[in-house]
Amino acid sequence: FELLSALFEWGKSQLKGVKIQPEGITLQPLIQKNIDLLAPQAILKNITISNSADADLHVYADPNHVDFIIRNLLSNAIKFTPDGGSISISTDRSDDMATIAVKDTGVGISPAQQHDFIKGSLHVSFGTRGEKGSGLGLLLTKEFIAANGGKIWLTSEPGRGTTFYCSLPLSN
């Protein structure tokens, strides 16, 4: 379902261009909603998820896009974290931007794969329990972040986990 949803959204964005309908969004409840939604997948792998997002942090972005971004980054973290691992989601603010960080204790991303991510290449990959990933969700995540005036980047070390960061404009 996630693959079909991502493919549909990506196709729609390619045909129409990414259109945004920004509004003020409080991040913490949206993050918690996605944690609750994906909790069954995490429970199956005995993965703990912590949410230390600032309850008073608001961004100005399209709520559907931000919802998709958080869900995709969290879903990928679950997919690539082995049984018994952990994921933490935190937020920070600097100047006029809010940053969301999704950190996992997963398999990590090689330097070559990081380079491919920056270039926007799509590759099929498999999670720690054989979960299939097409890369479409991450491609769409990148497009949504850019359309909303933000940036995405990552830090990773193979075998030690990955942290994806995305920044979005603060709401006034």
Side-chain angles (χ1 to χ4, degrees):
F1 176 74
E2 285 180 43
L3 176 61
L4 287 174
S5 177
L7 186 56
F8 173 74
E9 290 296 327
W10 179 78
K12 195 166 71 172
S13 76
Q14 293 300 303
L15 291 172
K16 298 179 182 177
V18 177
K19 297 198 182 343
I20 66 167
Q21 296 179 342
E23 60 184 68
I25 307 164
T26 306
L27 286 175
Q28 202 280 340
L30 195 56
I31 291 169
Q32 191 59 52
K33 175 190 128 184
N34 280 287
I35 290 171
D36 294 344
L37 180 71
L38 295 172
Q41 289 175 285
I43 290 168
L44 284 174
K45 294 175 79 173
N46 196 29
I47 295 171
T48 59
I49 303 174
S50 63
N51 177 3
S52 62
D54 182 344
D56 296 320
L57 190 57
H58 310 277
V59 296
Y60 187 70
D62 186 302
N64 292 320
H65 291 177
V66 177
D67 188 41
F68 182 91
I69 290 162
I70 293 167
R71 186 171 53 254
N72 183 260
L73 294 177
L74 183 55
S75 176
N76 285 347
I78 293 168
K79 189 182 304 180
F80 294 103
T81 298
D83 291 25
S86 64
I87 298 167
S88 63
I89 302 176
S90 60
T91 56
D92 196 13
R93 72 179 78 210
S94 63
D95 300 324
D96 58 348
M97 301 297 277
T99 301
I100 304 165
V102 179
K103 179 179 183 173
D104 66 52
T105 59
V107 296
I109 301 172
S110 72
Q113 289 171 312
Q114 291 179 47
H115 179 73
D116 288 347
F117 167 74
I118 292 165
K119 287 181 11 187
S121 299
L122 291 176
H123 293 287
V124 174
S125 57
F126 296 90
T128 58
R129 283 199 173 178
E131 308 97 326
K132 193 171 185 178
S134 67
L136 279 174
L138 200 50
L139 178 64
L140 192 55
T141 293
K142 287 174 68 174
E143 288 185 22
F144 283 170
I145 290 168
N148 283 278
K151 294 183 174 153
I152 185 168
W153 66 101
L154 68 105
T155 59
S156 185
E157 188 176 332
R160 304 191 119 226
T162 300
T163 305
F164 274 93
Y165 301 91
C166 72
S167 63
L168 294 165
L170 286 170
S171 180
N172 290 336

